[in-house]
Amino acid sequence: MATPPLPGEIDFTNLPDLAVLGQTLFKRVPIGAIVVRLSDSQIILRNPAFRHIANDDITTVSSLLDTCCVDPTQREQIHQQITQAKSRADKEETSEMPELVLDLKGTDGRVRIVQHYALLFHKMDIAIGIFRDISDIKRKYRALQKEAFTDELTGVGNRRGLMERWNEEMEDDPNQVIGFLMIDLDQFKPINDTYGHAIGDHVLQSLARRLRKGVRKSDYVARLGGDEFGILLPNIQSRTMLDTIRNKLLVSLKRPVITNTLKLNLSGSIGGGLYPEDGQDLPAIMVHADHSMYSTKKSIPARKRSKKHRVTARLPVA
């Protein structure tokens, strides 16, 4: 008498012919799948779902990666995985390649975000590759992430986004030099008190755009709260470069903001810090930059500050 299967085990006696079942699954499953000959990397079998990822002109794994994978780092990662998996042929009957997310460009020009996994059967000289299109999931996640990390008023980053970007930079290259600038608008409160928050909001939006245009695309501008902004500058060359950017932004902040019938003259105070020289993490760098900023404020004579911070001149009504 046959022993009944344990919970979680498959009862093979009740399954249809496994060859037929395997063929049916291979054809019908809505996930791209290929069978590859290990000796020459030829794609010897592909299912219909894979044709949404790459067409039949792609005949080898190498051509798939070189033609379709748009990210050089991802190409290098998967080539390394293949080499490592093949090196285990003398020790294991089967080996696997861990999950890896790839950006693959199809013949239709669309870039699909694909989750890849592979299992190698060394004695059979074949590998099975699985390609799951997760584009919609990833794009929805990125949209939610962008919303969570973006300041609603100005469109630049917020504190959470700043910390997330810092963490990404640390993961990519913890040995790089990173600059940080802390920016505070001088005497911004009188604008809100005199002309209302709508005008104040317009000023903040205008100055956020200036800050973003005044730095590199790789730099990250964030509104930290109120009239305070921060800028993260990865892979900065030196403190001299940080000071050059700081001075450039100070000039930019002095340009008047035009809104309705008002010409608003402002200025800003900017302090800077460098990782790792001024601190070993982002909070420490921010504290250093904040102290530097307030030292700059105190160094400006009161009479000069008062003159510089006159905030408005009324324009003629058109």
Side-chain angles (χ1 to χ4, degrees):
M1 183 176 177
T3 304
L6 296 172
E9 288 188 344
I10 300 174
D11 185 359
F12 288 98
T13 60
N14 294 327
L15 286 176
D17 182 87
L18 289 180
V20 175
L21 179 62
Q23 291 177 26
T24 302
L25 287 173
F26 190 78
K27 290 178 181 177
R28 299 289 181 86
V29 69
I31 298 174
I34 57 174
V35 179
V36 179
R37 192 163 53 222
L38 290 175
S39 55
D40 56 9
S41 297
Q42 287 287 322
I43 299 173
I44 57 178
L45 196 61
R46 66 190 76 206
N47 72 346
F50 182 76
R51 291 186 170 91
H52 294 294
I53 297 170
N55 64 21
D56 292 346
D57 293 338
I58 305 296
T59 59
T60 67
V61 172
S62 294
S63 62
L64 171 66
L65 298 176
D66 294 341
T67 304
C68 301
C69 190
V70 299
D71 189 326
T73 302
Q74 293 175 356
R75 282 201 300 270
E76 180 63 26
Q77 285 177 323
I78 196 167
H79 277 305
Q80 289 178 359
Q81 285 188 359
I82 292 171
T83 300
Q84 291 171 1
K86 285 184 174 180
S87 69
R88 297 196 292 270
D90 295 334
K91 303 175 184 177
E92 305 170 351
E93 290 189 10
T94 63
S95 56
E96 61 180 299
M97 292 168 54
E99 285 185 2
L100 183 65
V101 174
L102 304 172
D103 296 329
L104 300 181
K105 186 176 183 179
T107 53
D108 59 358
R110 178 187 171 193
V111 176
R112 291 174 173 84
I113 305 170
V114 175
Q115 193 175 36
H116 173 263
Y117 169 82
L119 190 61
L120 287 70
F121 300 88
H122 298 291
K123 289 187 176 181
M124 298 172 63
D125 192 37
I126 63 168
I128 297 175
I130 303 297
F131 298 81
R132 182 186 175 213
D133 188 343
I134 57 172
S135 302
D136 290 341
I137 298 172
K138 277 288 185 180
R139 289 189 176 110
K140 288 177 182 177
Y141 171 75
R142 288 174 182 174
L144 290 171
Q145 189 180 50
K146 182 179 180 181
E147 183 178 345
F149 294 155
T150 300
D151 177 61
E152 185 177 355
L153 175 64
T154 62
V156 298
N158 58 19
R159 281 183 177 271
R160 283 190 293 178
L162 178 64
M163 180 54 79
E164 181 70 13
R165 180 58 183 274
W166 169 270
N167 291 336
E168 290 174 359
E169 293 297 335
M170 287 293 97
E171 288 179 8
D172 289 345
D173 183 7
N175 297 317
Q176 66 175 304
V177 177
I178 301 177
F180 180 79
L181 294 175
M182 181 78 79
I183 302 159
D184 184 67
L185 301 181
D186 296 331
Q187 297 296 315
F188 174 75
K189 187 175 182 295
I191 293 177
N192 277 334
D193 293 344
T194 305
Y195 303 108
H197 288 282
I199 296 297
D201 289 350
H202 177 83
V203 170
L204 292 174
Q205 291 164 348
S206 298
L207 295 181
R209 287 193 293 269
R210 286 188 199 175
L211 293 176
R212 195 153 46 186
K213 289 180 180 179
V215 295
R216 305 167 299 176
K217 288 184 178 180
S218 59
D219 299 330
Y220 189 86
V221 179
R223 182 184 176 209
L224 305 179
D227 60 350
E228 193 172 64
F229 292 84
I231 305 178
L232 196 70
L233 302 107
N235 287 308
I236 201 164
Q237 296 175 2
S238 63
R239 193 175 296 277
T240 300
M241 182 177 176
L242 187 69
D243 290 339
T244 299
I245 297 170
R246 171 184 171 275
N247 292 333
K248 176 184 174 182
L249 293 176
L250 282 171
V251 172
S252 176
L253 292 176
K254 289 180 182 178
R255 296 203 318 267
V257 175
I258 308 298
T259 172
N260 296 332
T261 60
L262 299 174
K263 180 180 179 182
L264 303 173
N265 297 297
L266 299 102
S267 64
S269 298
I270 304 179
L274 284 180
Y275 166 84
E277 185 176 339
D278 298 325
Q280 295 299 309
D281 54 28
L282 181 58
I285 302 299
M286 292 177 71
V287 168
H288 182 92
D290 192 57
H291 289 166
S292 171
M293 180 182 69
Y294 278 99
S295 295
T296 302
K297 278 181 179 285
K298 290 179 181 178
S299 68
I300 301 173
R303 189 174 63 181
K304 186 176 180 182
R305 286 204 309 271
S306 175
K307 181 179 179 181
K308 184 171 64 175
H309 294 164
R310 286 183 305 174
V311 295
T312 182
R314 190 168 295 278
L315 296 177
V317 179

